[in-house]
Amino acid sequence: MTALYESQRAMRAMRKAAMQRGVIAILDVGTSKIACLVLRFDGPERFRDGDGVGSMAGQSSFRVIGAATTRSRGVRFGEIEAMHETERGIRTAVQAAQKMAEVRVDHVIACIGGGEPRSYGLAGAIDLDGQAVSEQDVARVLASCDVPDFGPGREVLHAQPVNFALDHRSGLRDPRGQIGNRLACDMHLLTIDGTVIRNILHCVKRCDLELAGLASSAYVSGVSSLVEDEQELGAACVDMGGGATGLSIFIKKHMIYADSVRLGGDHVTSDISKGLQVPLAIAERIKTVHGGVVATSMDDREMIELGGETGDWEHDRRTVSRAELIGIMRPRVEEILEEVRARLDAAGFEYLPSQQIVLTGGASQIPGLDGLAPKILGQQVRIGRPLRVQGLPQAASDSAFSSAVGLCLFAAHPQDEWWDFEIPTDRYPVRSLRRAVKWFKDNW
Amino acid sequence: MRSLIPQLSRGDRADPAPSRLAYRLNRLLLTPLFHRSLRIGLPLCILAISVAVVALSPERRETVALWVEDVKLSVQQRPEFMVKLMAIDGASDRVAEAIREIVPVHFPVSSFDLDLPAMQRTIAGLDAVARADLRIRPGGILQVRVSERMPVVVWRQRGRIEMLDVTGQRVATLDARTDRPDLPLIAGRGAQQLVDEALELVAAARPLDDRLRGLVRVGERRWDVMLEDDRRILLPEVSPVRALEQVLALHQAQEILDRDVELVDMRNPRRPTVRLAQAAAENLRRIKQIEMGVRTE
């Protein structure tokens, strides 16, 4: 635990150094593509003219100066499976983005889609004796949360305090300076498989880059595709990626739950490939060009040429109606959505005041998904696209890039995590100076 | 897993990923300091090395110097830059001759070899030249525009007769006074410094034009007006013109200069003094004696 905190603090320091230098890279290693964006920070509101609330709610302190995507290799279910292949993919993306940005980047912030994320709700409380809450008290109450046993080999990815309560008043955003007798806090802890982190760390190291931050891709796509009142009132973001579908639940602008389903668009492709006896590349093309999930009578007449290069004329000249294609795709999409529904039910999503569900990610672009999803997920479903950020190319602004854009926002405005708060003085070494100061404060 | 036999199936394009070395080199090139040193430092370095290679060996240095001189000469000797003749404007024949004599140029010559300021100084150094403008006209002509000094007086000094302009500058030497009878004559030490005052006096003395012989500077402080028959008018140091006008007024009223007067002394303007000639003085005394009834021998 302490080692992780050390590494998280080190990453924070590195992120600050990168911000000081002004250039940082965003790396989204997904199952179907690897995206790299290069951000330039030029101080707050540099690109803004005029008064009032800044463009994009003040999110415009950075600008995307380089963007590149490449086909991902060696990644399955959002986890790195063949290190060298993935490393080459990262190198391709980073070099192309650097070329576009004409600047060298040394720090990257990466996101992880797989690794079987698990959410834990933590609670802690301390007595205050009627004194004003100080930073040390916040540190103590965070330290008093009892950490569940999440098993060996798992690492904490996010640990965000989501709520503070002072006596009978709950929902405080910042309890400092207020007076009460009892301070309580709720914390959301997200753990993922440690080997996944280690693999991506190794890949990034091999590319001569330094990791300046890690985030869950379900979380960052929620940050980019949920609008502000959805985050405030309660909503779920479903990031339908290539190999895994991440889902995150937000309320009061905090993530309270995250999970992932190990199913995605690649499974639809492989279904098409198996069902129509075509190679994966052709199946992918058929899916993106002709795919759909709601069949109409028109689709019976629309015939799709399958093509092929086997040399067998009969085999290469086959056609299939679009209705048949939809018949292959729909069960798999339904399965994904039902799995998501099951996870949401397990998380208790139905108890939230607002039950908005936002579908994003590359697989959410299947035509007709907005007709199918409400049948499974409930009425409040919309297809979301990520926030627009300065300088992002048009090609990188569709919903497949919601986690990359979310990482940009995460880099610019990171959420306070456990390791960003002070360390309680009694956790310091015995000979620490701060402990002496605390003793003086208490006794004088 | 690496397959033992590299498979190149159709449609499988080459790996777009850069090798690790290419990736590192690319990043190195994008490093600002390295990039700048490569862009500025490398050319500078090559330049410095080539200069050093040339400069360190005397033979090469000489070769380069010779080559530079050669190129320079070949440009300077182009027909566009050659000057073929000199044209002199605004000078009399004698002055033009003198200018051609003192400017030692052998045409044709390259305009780069002409030192126009020095030539201008030389020409302006001639006494007869007030101002000289030189320029090289298109077509290879050295144009000299000269304005000559205007002689206004003749100055006699220690047996030499010279012409002076208004500022007292020497213009030319005369062989004889009669060469320029139209110019007034001045003499005496320091006369050349006050040519303008002398001219004023000459202008004031116009009523006795035919009698005026010249002006003499006495003791470098005042003027004497010399008239014919060795008569003189002695003028004061200050405002000599007024004193001369006074004498002329006297002459108009009493015809003083028509009488047998040797000298009119105006050195003290409030008390004009007249010296009679010897014979006139004796005559005057005799008349006075007769008037007084004194018998004479």
Side-chain angles (χ1 to χ4, degrees):
Chain A
M1 196 81 176
T2 323
L4 176 84
Y5 277 22
E6 291 300 320
S7 68
Q8 288 279 14
R9 277 179 203 275
M11 279 202 268
R12 266 302 140 87
M14 218 170 282
R15 193 186 71 86
K16 266 186 192 148
M19 299 276 265
Q20 207 115 56
R21 196 187 288 183
V23 177
I24 199 165
I26 295 299
L27 197 60
D28 175 19
V29 182
T31 313
S32 56
K33 64 158 196 343
I34 294 176
C36 179
L37 307 181
V38 180
L39 309 185
R40 196 174 63 209
F41 289 88
D42 283 321
E45 300 294 304
R46 165 78 186 274
F47 300 107
R48 212 190 115 196
D49 40 351
D51 289 333
V53 176
S55 53
M56 287 174 271
Q59 303 271 30
S60 55
S61 62
F62 63 86
R63 185 183 185 88
V64 179
I65 55 171
T69 30
T70 182
R71 185 168 61 94
S72 178
R73 291 170 300 175
V75 183
R76 274 176 68 198
F77 305 123
E79 295 157 16
I80 294 170
E81 190 192 51
M83 298 275 269
H84 287 279
E85 288 289 300
T86 312
E87 182 204 319
R88 292 158 78 82
I90 292 175
R91 240 166 25 207
T92 314
V94 169
Q95 180 163 338
Q98 277 180 349
K99 187 177 177 188
M100 179 173 165
E102 289 178 336
V103 71
R104 175 192 162 139
V105 288
D106 292 321
H107 300 91
V108 292
I109 297 181
C111 71
I112 297 174
E116 294 177 21
R118 276 182 222 150
S119 275
Y120 299 91
L122 272 56
I126 54 161
D127 285 325
L128 280 179
D129 309 328
Q131 284 185 343
V133 178
S134 66
E135 311 231 339
Q136 271 300 313
D137 293 324
V138 175
R140 269 170 53 222
V141 73
L142 290 176
S144 73
C145 296
D146 38 341
V147 178
D149 177 21
F150 38 69
R154 296 196 62 88
E155 298 273 13
V156 176
L157 189 61
H158 291 291
Q160 297 163 341
V162 294
N163 184 26
F164 287 101
L166 199 57
D167 295 337
H168 56 278
R169 294 185 297 138
S170 183
L172 300 178
R173 292 183 64 186
D174 187 357
R176 281 176 303 168
Q178 307 196 43
I179 295 172
N181 285 314
R182 188 180 161 75
L183 180 68
C185 90
D186 297 312
M187 187 144 63
H188 173 234
L189 192 75
L190 188 73
T191 68
I192 66 164
D193 200 351
T195 54
V196 175
I197 296 184
R198 234 164 289 137
N199 284 350
I200 196 159
L201 206 65
H202 182 77
C203 278
V204 167
K205 272 261 156 59
R206 289 268 300 168
C207 294
D208 301 336
L209 299 166
E210 304 254 25
L211 201 61
L214 263 180
S216 157
S217 75
Y219 169 56
V220 290
S221 11
V223 168
S224 74
S225 32
L226 296 184
V227 297
E228 207 164 330
D229 46 348
E230 284 170 347
Q231 284 183 11
E232 178 74 34
L233 298 174
C237 173
V238 180
D239 180 10
M240 304 175 73
T245 298
L247 65 106
S248 55
I249 301 178
F250 280 74
I251 192 164
K252 296 205 167 191
K253 294 186 178 161
H254 288 292
M255 176 175 66
I256 56 167
Y257 180 80
D259 205 342
S260 100
V261 178
R262 289 162 81 79
L263 286 169
D266 282 0
H267 296 89
V268 179
T269 309
S270 78
D271 281 351
I272 295 170
S273 171
K274 286 169 189 164
L276 301 178
Q277 301 275 314
V278 288
L280 271 176
I282 292 179
E284 178 73 26
R285 190 179 61 80
I286 290 173
K287 182 184 82 170
T288 49
V289 176
H290 305 285
V293 286
V294 180
T296 60
S297 54
M298 172 70 184
D299 294 329
D300 286 328
R301 278 171 280 146
E302 187 179 338
M303 301 305 282
I304 302 163
E305 297 248 354
L306 291 185
E309 289 177 335
T310 57
D312 182 353
W313 197 87
E314 295 289 342
H315 187 268
D316 289 351
R317 287 289 170 274
R318 286 174 302 146
T319 54
V320 70
S321 73
R322 185 160 183 248
E324 275 176 284
L325 177 67
I326 288 170
I328 294 171
M329 288 176 69
R330 182 171 172 129
R332 183 61 88 169
V333 176
E334 275 178 355
E335 185 193 356
I336 295 171
L337 293 177
E338 272 160 14
E339 197 71 30
V340 167
R341 177 80 251 170
R343 300 291 170 103
L344 287 177
D345 286 344
F349 183 62
E350 66 263 40
Y351 301 113
L352 290 191
S354 158
Q355 291 169 26
Q356 180 78 37
I357 294 176
V358 177
L359 300 179
T360 183
S364 72
Q365 291 168 323
I366 302 173
L369 188 67
D370 49 347
L372 174 66
K375 290 182 180 155
I376 298 164
L377 296 176
Q379 282 307 308
Q380 297 184 38
V381 175
R382 71 175 178 92
I383 311 291
R385 290 165 65 87
L387 201 71
R388 290 188 305 143
V389 293
Q390 291 258 350
L392 194 70
Q394 180 66 36
S397 62
D398 65 4
S399 53
F401 287 85
S402 61
S403 56
V405 172
L407 264 182
C408 297
L409 305 180
F410 174 77
H413 298 274
Q415 179 113 34
D416 283 340
E417 308 241 13
W418 198 348
W419 36 84
D420 297 323
F421 291 93
E422 279 189 24
I423 300 174
T425 17
D426 48 340
R427 298 280 175 100
Y428 269 97
V430 183
R431 287 171 178 275
S432 164
L433 185 68
R434 217 181 286 193
R435 195 167 177 140
V437 172
K438 168 83 170 146
W439 183 86
F440 262 94
K441 265 191 185 166
D442 289 350
N443 291 280
W444 290 79
Chain B
M1 283 289 165
R2 187 181 304 160
S3 52
L4 294 176
I5 305 160
Q7 289 179 337
L8 269 176
S9 65
R10 276 176 297 173
D12 194 8
R13 280 173 296 167
D15 188 2
S19 69
R20 251 188 129 196
L21 185 69
Y23 174 77
R24 287 212 169 134
L25 274 178
N26 186 273
R27 279 169 66 78
L28 187 66
L29 270 178
L30 283 171
T31 311
L33 197 67
F34 183 82
H35 186 79
R36 215 171 304 146
S37 70
L38 205 65
R39 219 187 57 200
I40 299 164
L42 197 66
L44 273 183
C45 201
I46 290 172
L47 199 71
I49 287 173
S50 49
V51 164
V53 162
V54 168
L56 284 180
S57 131
E59 294 144 43
R60 288 208 196 99
R61 216 157 48 202
E62 202 157 300
T63 316
V64 167
L66 235 118
W67 175 73
V68 166
E69 202 57 42
D70 231 37
V71 169
K72 217 164 95 182
L73 213 68
S74 74
V75 171
Q76 286 180 357
Q77 296 294 345
R78 289 185 67 80
E80 289 88 344
F81 296 124
M82 296 306 280
V83 176
K84 289 184 280 292
L85 57 100
M86 174 155 70
I88 299 173
D89 274 3
S92 57
D93 292 346
R94 280 185 57 199
V95 174
E97 214 164 277
I99 288 173
R100 281 180 206 284
E101 216 161 274
I102 60 164
V103 176
V105 181
H106 303 288
F107 296 105
V109 67
S110 168
S111 60
F112 286 95
D113 297 336
L114 288 177
D115 186 2
L116 287 186
M119 286 162 70
Q120 201 248 351
R121 272 197 300 279
T122 314
I123 293 173
L126 283 177
D127 284 333
V129 174
R131 189 192 141 96
D133 296 319
L134 273 77
R135 77 183 184 98
I136 293 171
R137 241 171 43 193
I141 296 169
L142 175 62
Q143 175 86 43
V144 183
R145 186 169 298 136
V146 171
S147 55
E148 283 190 34
R149 288 186 198 284
M150 285 293 289
V152 288
V153 289
V154 174
W155 181 39
R156 182 150 56 196
Q157 162 81 352
R158 293 209 193 112
R160 284 212 316 267
I161 302 171
E162 287 170 349
M163 289 190 290
L164 304 183
D165 72 346
V166 181
T167 58
Q169 277 284 333
R170 178 184 168 281
V171 177
T173 307
L174 284 183
D175 295 333
R177 167 75 178 94
T178 45
D179 286 354
R180 293 299 297 267
D182 52 324
L183 296 181
L185 178 75
I186 61 173
R189 273 177 65 186
Q192 80 274 21
Q193 285 156 15
L194 282 163
V195 174
D196 47 350
E197 202 177 63
L199 287 177
E200 280 175 36
L201 286 174
V202 169
R206 177 153 302 157
L208 15 118
D209 208 7
D210 48 341
R211 297 190 197 178
L212 183 68
R213 285 285 169 270
L215 300 172
V216 177
R217 190 74 177 160
V218 180
E220 291 189 58
R221 58 192 164 84
R222 60 173 196 85
W223 291 102
D224 273 6
V225 180
M226 305 301 285
L227 303 177
E228 59 181 0
D229 303 335
D230 276 351
R231 293 188 195 175
R232 284 195 288 171
I233 303 171
L234 276 57
L235 297 178
E237 287 167 46
V238 290
S239 55
V241 178
R242 295 255 325 263
L244 183 61
E245 281 168 352
Q246 212 175 328
V247 172
L248 291 177
L250 267 178
H251 174 60
Q252 240 173 14
Q254 302 182 7
E255 295 175 336
I256 185 173
L257 296 178
D258 290 340
R259 295 164 197 259
D260 199 1
V261 168
E262 236 178 20
L263 180 147
V264 181
D265 188 354
M266 291 297 291
R267 280 176 297 183
N268 186 350
R270 296 166 64 186
R271 189 167 58 84
T273 312
V274 173
R275 188 200 295 168
L276 297 180
Q278 185 72 34
E282 280 173 11
N283 274 344
L284 190 60
R285 185 181 295 142
R286 198 175 307 132
I287 289 165
K288 282 268 168 76
Q289 284 174 345
I290 290 166
E291 278 176 359
M292 289 161 73
V294 180
R295 231 187 49 181
T296 54
E297 273 107 87

